[in-house]
């Protein structure tokens, strides 16, 4: 009797999953983990998946093309990962994972700069209460003084080019960039602060 009930329960679960076409979401990770890159840098994008049979692949929107898949004129597919050996400026854009059934992960924004300064900042939302370190980097690594700017206002100048935000809250969310005298200014990147687990969603920018 117990075995019959168990089989019935298992069948019901499988039926519901099939009806809902349910696929556990994947999370897109970036290595090295940052949101800005110099032109010519390499990057690896991976769909961290719970269900390997879902067939997750990396897609992107850039200024040149919309909703293109890794291997379609860019990147080298490797299972559920995508490797780009030499980034170009036009590869700035929105990247996300899509399953074979059409489910989508949350998206991330990557910026490729042809200039001499970038801001190293978290590519994924950071948890409230965590410490976050921002680094202002030149093409040739150095520890030069840097001014850090949030929403257009200089918030701090650090002699070694690194700034730590301690115990971040939602008030730390914003658009950040940095400036190194004699070298220039980085592009801007948005830093998000989350008080709970980030939920998977179809990015509105895909349309």
């Amino acid at each position: 009797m117990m075995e019959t009930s168990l089989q019935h329960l298992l069948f019901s679960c499988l039926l519901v999953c099939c009806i809902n076409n349910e696929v556990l979401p994947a999370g897109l990770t970036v290595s090295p983990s940052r949101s800005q890159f110099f032109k010519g840098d390499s990057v690896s994008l991976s769909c961290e998946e719970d269900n390997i049979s879902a067939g997750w692949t990396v897609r992107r929107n850039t200024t040149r093309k919309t909703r293109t898949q890794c291997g379609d004129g860019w990147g080298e597919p490797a299972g559920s990962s995508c490797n780009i050996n030499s980034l170009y400026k036009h590869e700035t854009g929105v990247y996300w994972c899509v399953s074979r059934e059409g489910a989508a992960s949350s998206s991330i924004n990557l910026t490729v700069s042809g200039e001499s300064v970038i801001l190293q900042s978290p590519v994924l939302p950071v948890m409230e209460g965590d410490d976050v370190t921002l680094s202002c980097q030149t093409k040739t690594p150095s520890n030069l003084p840097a001014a850090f700017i949030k929403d257009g206002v200089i918030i701090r100048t650090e002699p070694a080019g690194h700034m730590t935000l301690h115990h971040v809250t939602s008030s730390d969310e914003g658009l950040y960039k940095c400036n190194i005298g004699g070298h220039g200014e980085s592009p801007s990147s948005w830093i998000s602060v989350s008080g709970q687990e980030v939920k998977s969603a179809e990015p509105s920018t895909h349309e």
Side-chain angles (χ1 to χ4, degrees), residues 6-158:
L6 189 59
Q7 288 174 341
H8 179 73
L9 179 62
L10 187 59
F11 176 78
S12 299
C13 288
L14 288 171
L15 185 62
V16 169
C17 289
C18 291
I19 291 172
N20 293 337
N21 197 25
E22 184 179 2
V23 177
L24 294 174
L28 180 58
T29 61
V30 182
S31 180
S33 183
R34 62 177 194 257
S35 57
Q36 294 185 14
F37 294 84
F38 289 113
K39 186 177 79 170
D41 283 350
S42 60
V43 65
S44 179
L45 305 155
S46 300
C47 300
E48 298 294 331
E49 53 189 324
D50 292 324
N51 181 4
I52 197 166
S53 64
W56 292 92
T57 55
V58 180
R59 289 191 182 181
R60 73 180 187 183
N61 282 349
T62 65
T63 53
R64 288 193 178 181
K65 290 185 177 181
T66 302
R67 297 183 70 90
T68 56
Q69 184 171 303
C70 179
D72 182 14
W74 65 276
E76 297 179 2
S80 59
S81 298
C82 182
N83 301 315
I84 306 176
N85 293 322
S86 183
L87 287 162
Y88 293 90
K89 285 182 65 178
H90 69 259
E91 294 184 286
T92 292
V94 181
Y95 292 73
W96 71 99
C97 296
V98 176
S99 74
R100 190 181 295 111
E101 290 80 8
S105 72
S106 55
S107 62
I108 61 171
N109 291 279
L110 297 184
T111 301
V112 183
S113 175
E115 304 302 322
S116 58
V117 179
I118 61 170
L119 175 67
Q120 291 193 3
S121 61
V123 65
L124 299 173
V126 295
M127 293 298 293
E128 195 168 84
D130 285 354
D131 292 345
V132 176
T133 298
L134 309 179
S135 298
C136 199
Q137 296 290 329
T138 54
K139 186 98 175 153
T140 303
S142 64
N143 286 321
L144 294 171
F148 290 88
I149 301 155
K150 175 178 181 280
D151 299 330
V153 178
I154 295 177
I155 55 174
R156 202 182 306 172
T157 298
E158 292 290 345

